[in-house]
Amino acid sequence: MTKRKIQMMLSVNGEDHDVSFLPHRTLLEVLREDMQLTGTKHGCELGECGTCTVLVDGEPALSCLVLGLECAGKDIQTVEGLGTAGGPHPLQKRFAELNAAQCGYCTPGILMAAQSILTKDPTPDRETLREELAGNLCRCTGYLRIYEAIEMAAEDMQHGS
Amino acid sequence: MMRLPTFSYCAPDTAEEIAHILAEEGPAAQIVAGGTDLYPNMKRRQVEPKTVVSLARARALRGIEWRDDGSLRLGTSEPLRALERDPRLQSTLPALHQSVLSISTPVLRNMGTIGGNLCLDTRCQYLNQNFEWRRTINHCLKCSGDTCWTAPGSPKCWAVNSSDSVPVMIAMGAKLLLQGAAGRREVTAAEFFDVTDGREWIRRQPDEVMTDIVIPSQEGTRSVYLKLRRRDAYDFPVLGVAARITMDGDLVSDARIVLNAVGPAPVRCTEAEQALIGYRLNAETIGEAGNLSRRGAKPLDNTDYMPNYRKKMVPVFVRRALAALA
Amino acid sequence: MAPKYRIIGKANTKVDGLAKSTGATKFADDLSLPRMLYCKLHRAHVPYAVIKNIDTSAAEAMDGVVAVLVGSELPTQFGILPVSQDEHALCPDKVRFVGDPVAAVAALDEDTAFAAAQAIRVEYEPLPPVFDPAEAIQNEVPQLHDYGDDGNVHKRVAMEFGDVAGALEDADEVLEDVVFYQGNTHLPMEQHATLAMPEADGRLTIWSSTQTPHYLHKAVSKVLGLPPSRIRIIACPNGGGFGGKSDPFNHEIVVAALAVKTQRPCKITLTREEVFYCHRGRHPVLMRSRMGLDKKKKAITGIHFESLLDGGAYGSYGVASTYYTGALQTVTYKVPNYRFDGVRTFTNKPPCGPKRGHGTVQPRFALEIQVDRAAHALGMDPADFRLQNLQPPESVTANWLRIRTMGLKACIDKVVEASGWRERYGKLERGHGLGLACSSYITGAGLPIYWNRMPHSGVQLKLDRGGGVTAFCGATDIGQGSDTVLASCVAEILGVDLLDVRVCVADTDLTPVDLGSYSSRVTLMMGNAAIQAAERARDLLAKACAEKLEVPPARLAFADNRVFDTQDPDKSMEFAQAVVFAEAKFGTIGTVGSYSPPKMPGRYRGAGVGPTPTYSYSASVIELHCDEETGIIDIDKIWIAHDIGQAINYHLAMGQVEGSVYMGVGEALMEEMVYRDRRNGAHKIPSLLEYKSPTTMEMPPVDTFLIEEPDPEGPFGAKEVGQGPLLPIMPAVANGVFDALGVRVNRCPITPEFVLAALESKDKRSGPKSYPDLRIEAPARILTPAEGGDGYEIDQKRKTKQLAREQRTDEQKTTR
Ligand SMILES: Cc1cc2nc3c(=O)[nH]c(=O)nc-3n(C[C@H](O)[C@H](O)[C@H](O)COP(=O)(O)OP(=O)(O)OC[C@H]3O[C@@H](n4cnc5c(N)ncnc54)[C@H](O)[C@@H]3O)c2cc1C
Ligand code: FES
Ligand code: FES
């Protein structure tokens, strides 16, 4: 019930961060507001859109429905850890090229979901992508360029380019 | 940004400890498993527990174990995705697999647990709204108000049991194990959900945590789960139909048809079942069972789709479920 | 033959592509500043009431609350249209819908702001609300506003082009359809956010997720009473807009006022529920269309079209929306006689406004269903009926809209061929169907929102000695890719690389005005302005280079970051060098370009809505299955062709078509803004779970065809693509359901309930049964071009004089 912050180590994108935050803060709030990692977006904060998707121990999770303190000892991956403009992940590169990120607001969440799909299935077919991305709403693209970008990135990763 | 209210948090290692804390704190404590139901409800201020007791560290609540007698023991905090990915579950318990696969979205199924799904709070369009919204209707019977706006003349709350796995568990005769401060008990799924009011949607004591689900061998049965909803992802059922048929030669020797999401509790269609037992499963008997199944369902205007449409869909879905088993 | 471009039309990576895919793009809510306060609004929980008292004491007493604001502190009204300045930043005396903001708090953190906003107590005296527009036109009370045409009618229009009564009388058959199109909302994934910061010199900077920084600039200045020169609006990239961020909003003005009041940065981010209250989405429209058919000529003799718009609680763009429901019925098929009656009413619900396809989506739905019926009535294939009645290019319609290029034939041919229409339409098994529909949309409104003679878009270029080019423009990237369009136009003309052009946009301190990202105007207007600015810069450079290279300037070409002699390409220099020579010769190199649309032929009252430099066209065929027992529709596949004139960037254009189709699928099948009239008019489903937006599972495969026939009005021939392709989707689904099951659903969305209702009904039709009396007196009569009209209302000048005379005599009577 307190308004006292807790302090803990949080491993984000392979780096340990010493952070303190209020115990009722969600991972989304901790990332965006306590760590200034604003790459992770939000569209509802109720689990209804997938925009806030990050990876927790390699599995996609909605950061708006996970407590920050539940993430102690876990490995958090966000879009900031995926790649940089100078060294983009194949997914990021293909999303940029194909205009799979129109407004780009759903993009970080979709990239993280896509990343986890590719770890499990390096050559996913359309149907797999469709089913696995069903929790990531996008209002701009109609998802079509998103599928294409993921498929091309999958190919890039297969051929190591 | 929708934010959680403040609370204190603990994550005990054992079911016993959990039960003790629940006993101490009383109804002001809430169990959290995956949090995909509890946290949104807290953010909307439908529930504001003083203490949140997490199941995350209680290892005994995990596990998918197939026993020699063909029965299956599920730890309640097993994530839905684990069930979905279990190959044996997929082949031997198709209805459960279908129901789990139909829940929410892949990412939510990573987080949500089977125990949480069984204990899922009842839902209603007058209830699952932000605090500010609920002021507009002067709150409701389930949450700080005194009228059920779904049925204003009724003394009861008509919030809907919207779990996908509940009707399947009942159809399969699952048993549920609960740990209380005073000890453990076992109930059948049918008993656990035998309620009449959306405010008490499960027969659980405040100090109890559900630890195991035991599904007896389904050998010799066929089962299916069908779900009506607007979108093929995200959406809760506005009608769920679980059906299980046991055949003796050409004739039906046992039938179970359970509806969900048409009222505060799942509905067993006993008349429809009786119309099948001892008969062949053909267009005629299936049609008859479909018509009889309509009786128990009382969909009201508190979910997606118009209530009379949902009512109209009951026989259609029951027929289709049975046809899939024929 | 289309000219060869280096950049235009190519599949280039958009300039902000990597910023978006790395999460680097900063949306408004991503910004935070030291000492920043969080703002929350207290919103009305009653639909219509007089505010008796606001008690903010409990909120003010809370730890962490820095300021509280109420409506009396911001008494000046604002609104997007000059004729509908009917909104307050915070309601001072009356609330008009559940969600209308009444008070605001600024606190150290959002939890406190939330608690404080809840602790504000408002005492109301309830007024009887009205939710049904048919009721709202019949009764004089309640009257939500003290302006408008009469009673609760915000706007009433009626105009007749040609002799419609005669055309319907002479027709061999008259089809009549009453159709209802339910309201729906934009639902951008980004929830609106605004951050306001007071500067040390007394100025104010505001970052906001707005599509229209220029109009926000005007509104903030007006309400705060600060000159525009002291206010800087920066529109952040929008996380989706679709028209939902094109009004100036209460929350934007409130945080600005709180920043001034507290002298601290102040941010607000709306919750999803609040985004539903901002709304400004698609109007629910009840329509009646009567279409006369000539059986011999297989043609339309005339159309009488009526619309009743449910406007919600405020004006917003509503006057324009009303006209739009009647404007574009004439631009696709020949309609020699046309009458339009439209009424917009106020109701106690969130205000409606412009959503993708603004005001034209609902009437297009009605028209395309009726055209489908017409084809069947004439025993024709619906594709052939359309093809035979196309409005010709380079023509003027009965209601004085000028058509330039018209690619609808190519669009229809394309989708008909690709879908196997000719072999399959009308021949599939029961439950399986094909539907065709077409549409058209404006490429930018011909007139600005407030009357002025200034350009609609301006672009300024600054050339750097190192060869870099900066393009300044007020346009806002809302995901449509306007930054890339700007860079592409400039880079094409100057012959530089896309990445050599830095775009600096949507900042009222730095960039020349562009009116905003609405009405599909940006590519055409900003593009033309950019071309002009770039050509002026190129001319300067060419002059300087010509001297150095000793060739006439006209012989120089700009490409691949070089300037060269077209006759002797060895004579060349680098672009950067060219800038150096030009700067040495002319001084600092900066040029400007601006764009104003051409004058339109219509001169009658209301002629301002509908005209555009050029119309885009689309056609779509949809294949679907519709379950006879459940009424559930599964879309199997969509073919769509869009007449874009010339794509500026291939991926952007394709993305806009696909995105429009997606949104159309949502509107066709499931999206609805619905309220609980008997429960205080509360929004029934203000959440992303219950307001249904299609997931990947509902989105069918789409085959997209771009029809490129350059239009003389467009930059490099380009027309719009952001909105038009949405329009054919809903009617194509309705027509597909007819092919599958032989029933007509005269209602959108086409939900299972209505499919079953149609199957169960005697006339195999579902939807509204009757149409209310709009209480229209004689419509304004305008002679069509064919009748030898001049674009004016008959006797418009004489009538104006007579009106003035009558008024004078009235006045004399009263003074006597
Ligand atoms: C957008 C969205 C869509 C959804 N769609 C569906 C859907 O289609 N179908 C569906 O069935 N569900 C749906 N859900 C609900 C939810 O995600 C699932 O039901 C999930 O399985 C709940 O599990 P959990 O572990 O997250 O539950 P929690 O939120 O952790 O708990 C849910 C409830 O059960 C109690 N509880 C949890 N575990 C135990 C236990 N072991 N013993 C006693 N009590 C316990 C909690 O106290 C709480 O009251 C949806 C949720 C969201 C946010
Ligand atoms: S923000 Fe929408 S799911 Fe988390
Ligand atoms: S790109 Fe805009 S929401 Fe997906």
Side-chain angles (χ1 to χ4, degrees):
Chain A
M1 297 299 288
T2 57
K3 274 216 152 190
R4 192 149 355 103
K5 289 187 173 184
I6 52 162
Q7 188 174 17
M8 62 181 248
M9 294 300 268
L10 205 57
S11 163
V12 180
N13 299 323
E15 293 167 1
D16 284 342
H17 293 264
D18 188 357
V19 280
S20 53
F21 52 85
L22 293 167
H24 69 290
R25 304 270 275 179
T26 59
L27 178 59
L28 174 71
E29 293 158 4
V30 173
L31 289 171
R32 285 180 56 84
E33 296 170 355
D34 296 298
M35 301 179 73
Q36 270 68 55
L37 289 172
T38 55
T40 304
K41 312 296 180 201
H42 58 107
C44 70
E45 307 96 44
L46 296 170
E48 301 173 353
C49 70
T51 310
C52 65
T53 307
V54 299
L55 300 185
V56 177
D57 285 342
E59 288 286 345
L62 300 175
S63 59
C64 70
L65 296 186
V66 179
L67 296 182
L69 58 79
E70 286 170 329
C71 295
K74 299 195 173 168
D75 167 38
I76 317 280
Q77 293 286 333
T78 70
V79 70
E80 285 93 347
L82 200 57
T84 59
H89 186 279
L91 280 165
Q92 293 173 310
K93 184 165 159 279
R94 293 302 190 179
F95 267 63
E97 280 174 8
L98 291 190
N99 188 25
Q102 282 193 25
C103 78
Y105 201 77
C106 67
T107 309
I110 293 192
L111 286 169
M112 299 322 285
Q115 153 85 335
S116 113
I117 297 170
L118 293 184
T119 343
K120 295 192 183 69
D121 179 358
T123 54
D125 57 21
R126 249 322 136 95
E127 208 37 45
T128 307
L129 291 180
R130 199 164 162 230
E131 279 166 13
E132 291 293 319
L133 292 174
N136 292 84
L137 288 182
C138 170
R139 281 294 274 183
C140 297
T141 62
Y143 312 107
L144 303 166
R145 302 195 150 255
I146 290 171
Y147 300 145
E148 278 176 48
I150 299 173
E151 284 159 359
M152 287 174 79
E155 205 150 291
D156 295 344
M157 287 160 79
Q158 288 285 296
H159 301 104
S161 72
Chain B
M1 173 116 72
M2 296 288 292
R3 296 173 196 266
L4 288 166
T6 52
F7 53 85
S8 57
Y9 176 91
C10 62
D13 291 324
T14 66
E16 289 80 2
E17 266 179 84
I18 292 168
H20 279 296
I21 295 173
L22 291 174
E24 263 167 43
E25 302 270 331
Q30 284 274 348
I31 294 173
V32 69
T36 60
D37 180 43
L38 183 71
Y39 290 149
N41 291 347
M42 284 171 67
K43 287 187 176 186
R44 289 186 290 249
R45 305 298 191 266
Q46 288 164 238
V47 279
E48 292 188 66
K50 273 203 346 238
T51 307
V52 169
V53 186
S54 167
L55 309 185
R57 285 217 201 105
R59 297 220 46 88
L61 303 194
R62 297 296 295 265
I64 302 180
E65 288 158 40
W66 294 91
R67 293 170 172 169
D68 294 345
D69 61 356
S71 68
L72 169 67
R73 178 213 156 249
L74 293 170
T76 46
S77 56
E78 204 56 48
L80 297 167
R81 274 238 124 166
L83 273 61
E84 174 188 331
R85 286 179 180 146
D86 188 278
R88 186 157 164 198
L89 192 152
Q90 190 168 349
S91 61
T92 58
L93 305 176
L96 181 60
H97 189 255
Q98 287 152 2
S99 74
V100 166
L101 209 58
S102 78
I103 294 171
S104 60
T105 71
V107 180
L108 276 162
R109 294 200 296 277
N110 261 332
M111 309 167 70
T113 64
I114 184 65
N117 190 248
L118 286 179
C119 299
L120 179 72
D121 203 344
T122 45
R123 300 182 59 83
C124 174
Q125 283 181 341
Y126 290 104
L127 170 72
N128 299 105
Q129 304 278 6
N130 296 353
F131 178 83
E132 287 299 325
W133 190 98
R134 298 200 309 275
R135 275 182 66 167
T136 298
I137 58 156
N138 202 13
H139 303 283
C140 79
L141 194 55
K142 184 161 162 135
C143 190
S144 31
D146 48 22
T147 307
C148 173
W149 295 109
T150 302
S154 159
K156 286 196 327 189
C157 159
W158 288 88
V160 176
N161 187 321
S162 309
S163 163
D164 281 301
S165 68
V166 163
V168 178
M169 292 291 182
I170 295 173
M172 292 189 313
K175 293 196 178 65
L176 311 174
L177 267 61
L178 298 158
Q179 172 79 53
R184 290 165 76 74
R185 74 176 170 115
E186 187 184 286
V187 287
T188 64
E191 288 164 338
F192 194 64
F193 298 105
D194 183 14
V195 299
T196 54
D197 190 302
R199 283 171 293 183
E200 288 159 273
W201 65 100
I202 45 177
R203 298 184 132 198
R204 168 187 163 259
Q205 299 306 313
D207 65 330
E208 284 179 329
V209 54
M210 192 198 295
T211 55
D212 307 79
I213 302 158
V214 178
I215 300 168
S217 165
Q218 301 293 306
E219 188 143 352
T221 69
R222 283 180 234 156
S223 64
V224 68
Y225 177 71
L226 295 184
K227 174 174 181 177
L228 171 66
R229 54 170 163 178
R230 188 82 58 164
R231 302 176 294 180
D232 277 336
Y234 266 122
D235 292 344
F236 284 91
V238 293
L239 165 64
V241 176
R244 192 188 78 168
I245 294 289
T246 319
M247 300 295 284
D248 185 3
D250 279 349
L251 304 182
V252 175
S253 62
D254 186 39
R256 301 205 187 157
I257 302 170
V258 187
L259 312 179
N260 205 14
V262 285
V267 179
R268 180 97 182 249
C269 303
T270 37
E271 280 176 90
E273 292 171 358
Q274 288 309 318
L276 294 172
I277 296 172
Y279 297 94
R280 284 167 198 280
L281 205 54
N282 57 28
E284 200 183 318
T285 52
I286 287 177
E288 170 77 8
N291 290 339
L292 289 169
S293 64
R294 192 189 253 127
R295 299 207 179 146
K298 286 195 196 65
L300 298 171
D301 183 19
N302 60 348
T303 71
D304 190 24
Y305 281 133
M306 295 177 192
N308 57 356
Y309 174 73
R310 285 160 63 211
K311 179 109 184 168
K312 226 185 273 177
M313 287 306 106
V314 171
V316 176
F317 274 62
V318 168
R319 278 202 306 271
R320 288 184 179 189
L322 294 172
L325 300 179
Chain C
M1 201 34 225
K4 284 248 176 299
Y5 298 117
R6 288 178 319 113
I7 288 169
I8 298 303
K10 297 289 187 303
N12 286 312
T13 299
K14 63 178 187 176
V15 294
D16 49 352
L18 272 173
K20 286 185 168 167
S21 68
T22 55
T25 300
K26 291 277 183 226
F27 298 93
D29 185 48
D30 296 339
L31 306 173
S32 60
L33 292 167
R35 298 183 69 242
M36 184 175 85
L37 302 175
Y38 290 82
C39 169
K40 265 266 156 220
L41 299 177
H42 175 99
R43 293 178 182 268
H45 53 269
V46 293
Y48 193 34
V50 173
I51 299 172
K52 303 296 287 178
N53 183 44
I54 307 176
D55 178 0
T56 59
S57 54
E60 269 163 296
M62 275 187 187
D63 259 2
V65 170
V66 179
V68 176
L69 197 69
V70 294
S72 53
E73 295 171 72
L74 296 170
T76 308
Q77 286 183 300
F78 68 97
I80 182 71
L81 299 187
V83 293
S84 315
Q85 300 282 303
D86 59 1
E87 297 183 55
H88 282 101
L90 297 166
C91 301
D93 46 9
K94 246 188 195 183
V95 297
R96 295 183 176 83
F97 70 95
V98 169
D100 221 358
V102 177
V105 290
L108 295 180
D109 58 73
E110 206 178 18
D111 282 337
T112 308
F114 179 81
Q118 270 185 16
I120 291 172
R121 290 282 164 264
V122 186
E123 203 186 305
Y124 293 109
E125 183 184 305
L127 296 168
V130 58
F131 301 115
D132 177 7
E135 222 173 88
I137 39 171
Q138 247 93 58
N139 307 331
E140 293 289 311
V141 278
Q143 187 179 338
L144 267 64
H145 293 281
D146 53 11
Y147 79 103
D149 275 353
D150 57 84
N152 230 356
V153 170
H154 178 207
K155 186 72 193 168
R156 177 181 274 116
V157 298
M159 35 206 188
E160 182 173 17
F161 309 87
D163 173 12
V164 175
L168 295 184
E169 214 156 274
D170 295 346
D172 298 314
E173 185 170 352
V174 176
L175 302 179
E176 174 165 335
D177 277 291
V178 181
V179 177
F180 180 61
Y181 199 105
Q182 179 60 285
N184 55 49
T185 200
H186 322 83
L187 208 77
M189 292 314 298
E190 178 205 28
Q191 303 158 114
H192 306 50
T194 306
L195 167 61
M197 176 180 76
E199 311 264 8
D201 57 8
R203 291 168 200 250
L204 185 63
T205 299
I206 297 166
W207 292 265
S208 192
S209 40
T210 175
Q211 301 177 231
T212 51
H214 174 60
Y215 298 133
L216 179 59
H217 199 197
K218 289 173 76 79
V220 172
S221 162
K222 183 181 177 200
V223 180
L224 264 52
L226 273 176
S229 58
R230 309 282 163 78
I231 301 167
R232 176 182 186 185
I233 308 281
I234 301 172
C236 296
N238 286 199
F242 317 113
K245 295 170 181 164
S246 40
D247 284 57
F249 284 104
N250 316 69
H251 63 266
E252 296 177 304
I253 296 168
V254 165
V255 275
L258 280 169
V260 172
K261 187 168 178 171
T262 60
Q263 285 300 301
R264 292 174 74 153
C266 188
K267 179 162 91 171
I268 188 163
T269 306
L270 301 188
T271 62
R272 181 52 63 182
E273 180 187 356
E274 291 179 288
V275 174
F276 280 93
Y277 296 147
C278 285
H279 189 38
R280 319 294 157 138
R282 187 95 62 229
H283 285 76
V285 184
L286 182 63
M287 299 165 278
R288 176 164 62 187
S289 181
R290 275 179 284 194
M291 176 189 280
L293 296 177
D294 180 328
K295 291 209 161 166
K296 239 198 349 267
K297 291 197 193 131
K298 300 198 179 299
I300 299 168
T301 63
I303 294 179
H304 181 182
F305 183 80
E306 297 162 87
S307 64
L308 173 59
L309 291 82
D310 181 351
Y314 291 97
S316 183
Y317 285 79
V319 170
S321 318
T322 310
Y323 280 112
Y324 270 125
T325 62
L328 303 192
Q329 300 297 78
T330 55
V331 300
T332 37
Y333 319 113
K334 278 183 253 171
V335 182
N337 301 285
Y338 179 59
R339 175 171 166 186
F340 164 58
D341 305 337
V343 167
R344 182 183 196 259
T345 64
F346 290 119
T347 52
N348 294 103
K349 293 184 280 193
C352 299
K355 182 188 169 192
R356 212 171 196 171
H358 187 189
T360 71
V361 167
Q362 305 93 327
R364 176 59 58 181
F365 180 72
L367 176 66
E368 292 294 319
I369 293 178
Q370 200 161 53
V371 164
D372 209 62
R373 283 188 63 205
H376 285 276
L378 298 171
M380 288 178 79
D381 180 304
D384 290 333
F385 177 69
R386 288 177 168 90
L387 285 166
Q388 283 183 28
N389 284 287
L390 291 179
Q391 176 71 21
E394 300 300 336
S395 63
V396 176
T397 66
N399 57 341
W400 292 92
L401 302 178
R402 180 185 289 131
I403 313 294
R404 303 300 313 261
T405 57
M406 205 280 191
L408 188 51
K409 179 182 182 310
C411 291
I412 296 176
D413 287 345
K414 201 81 203 175
V415 292
V416 160
E417 191 202 313
S419 63
W421 172 270
R422 302 249 176 237
E423 302 78 54
R424 302 199 296 150
Y425 180 71
K427 300 177 192 124
L428 297 170
E429 77 280 7
R430 190 164 167 82
H432 186 183
L434 286 175
L436 166 72
C438 303
S439 67
S440 174
Y441 198 65
I442 56 169
T443 308
L447 290 181
I449 278 173
Y450 61 99
W451 170 243
N452 70 82
R453 288 180 195 282
M454 292 175 283
H456 291 213
S457 188
V459 170
Q460 223 168 340
L461 291 186
K462 191 212 94 186
L463 273 58
D464 181 73
R465 295 172 186 186
V469 180
T470 310
F472 299 87
C473 179
T476 306
D477 202 310
I478 60 172
Q480 88 281 43
S482 61
D483 285 3
T484 305
V485 170
L486 178 58
S488 301
C489 292
V490 171
E492 182 69 44
I493 301 286
L494 292 180
V496 296
D497 204 79
L498 206 46
L499 289 181
D500 291 326
V501 183
R502 169 175 284 278
V503 295
C504 172
V505 296
D507 179 332
T508 58
D509 264 12
L510 303 182
T511 61
V513 167
D514 173 276
L515 292 179
S517 293
Y518 64 94
S519 91
S520 272
R521 48 173 301 291
V522 177
T523 291
L524 185 133
M525 301 200 187
M526 174 192 74
N528 280 329
I531 290 174
Q532 189 179 62
E535 282 177 347
R536 286 174 175 169
R538 190 184 61 188
D539 289 350
L540 290 177
L541 266 55
K543 258 187 215 147
C545 296
E547 238 168 57
K548 283 284 162 200
L549 298 173
E550 298 176 333
V551 291
R555 255 172 51 189
L556 291 177
F558 288 63
D560 303 322
N561 286 61
R562 299 191 74 78
V563 183
F564 57 91
D565 179 2
T566 43
Q567 289 181 11
D568 177 5
D570 283 344
K571 274 195 179 168
S572 75
M573 70 173 81
E574 283 189 12
F575 179 79
Q577 221 179 346
V579 177
V580 169
F581 287 132
E583 196 174 332
K585 187 171 166 66
F586 300 111
T588 303
I589 303 294
T591 58
V592 295
S594 48
Y595 177 80
S596 298
K599 224 168 162 207
M600 309 298 172
R603 320 273 359 130
Y604 57 90
R605 218 149 67 97
V609 179
T612 175
T614 182
Y615 298 90
S616 75
Y617 289 90
S618 324
S620 176
V621 169
I622 293 184
E623 180 172 354
L624 53 81
H625 278 82
C626 188
D627 188 316
E628 214 170 334
E629 265 188 319
T630 63
I632 293 173
I633 297 170
D634 275 314
I635 300 181
D636 305 312
K637 169 107 193 193
I638 297 182
W639 294 267
I640 182 152
H642 181 74
D643 163 26
I644 190 176
Q646 163 71 54
I648 299 290
N649 175 301
Y650 172 77
H651 287 311
L652 290 183
M654 295 291 281
Q656 286 302 302
V657 178
E658 292 163 4
S660 297
V661 169
Y662 165 82
M663 206 161 264
V665 167
E667 293 198 21
L669 300 182
M670 57 186 81
E671 294 187 34
E672 287 188 73
M673 284 286 270
V674 277
Y675 304 87
R676 299 253 183 211
D677 293 3
R678 287 160 61 216
R679 302 281 169 258
N680 259 340
H683 193 297
K684 200 169 165 185
I685 45 171
S687 69
L688 278 179
L689 178 65
E690 292 295 332
Y691 180 94
K692 307 297 181 187
S693 176
T695 71
T696 53
M697 303 307 284
E698 285 69 49
M699 184 64 190
V702 179
D703 277 358
T704 300
F705 308 98
L706 298 179
I707 305 297
E708 296 187 277
E709 181 199 336
D711 189 283
E713 298 292 337
F716 307 102
K719 308 201 224 183
E720 78 88 34
V721 60
Q723 313 195 56
L726 180 151
L727 284 108
I729 304 305
M730 295 71 64
V733 171
N735 293 340
V737 169
F738 177 74
D739 188 40
L741 294 176
V743 298
R744 292 277 173 200
V745 179
N746 280 3
R747 193 248 187 206
C748 191
I750 306 154
T751 57
E753 289 99 324
F754 282 90
V755 173
L756 292 190
L759 281 164
E760 286 160 12
S761 74
K762 263 210 255 86
D763 60 352
K764 298 293 159 211
R765 219 199 276 205
S766 64
K769 294 277 174 276
S770 63
Y771 200 81
D773 179 6
L774 296 186
R775 297 194 292 129
I776 302 280
E777 283 154 23
R781 175 73 164 87
I782 300 113
L783 292 176
T784 64
E787 288 175 310
D790 55 3
Y792 285 92
E793 185 183 331
I794 293 183
D795 291 343
Q796 188 166 321
K797 289 168 198 155
R798 189 172 57 81
K799 264 197 195 157
T800 329
K801 274 191 203 142
Q802 188 183 334
L803 200 75
R805 223 180 7 252
E806 275 165 19
Q807 269 168 358
R808 267 201 307 278
T809 37
D810 277 352
E811 278 162 26
Q812 281 163 6
K813 270 185 214 152
T814 38
T815 44
R816 242 178 246 150

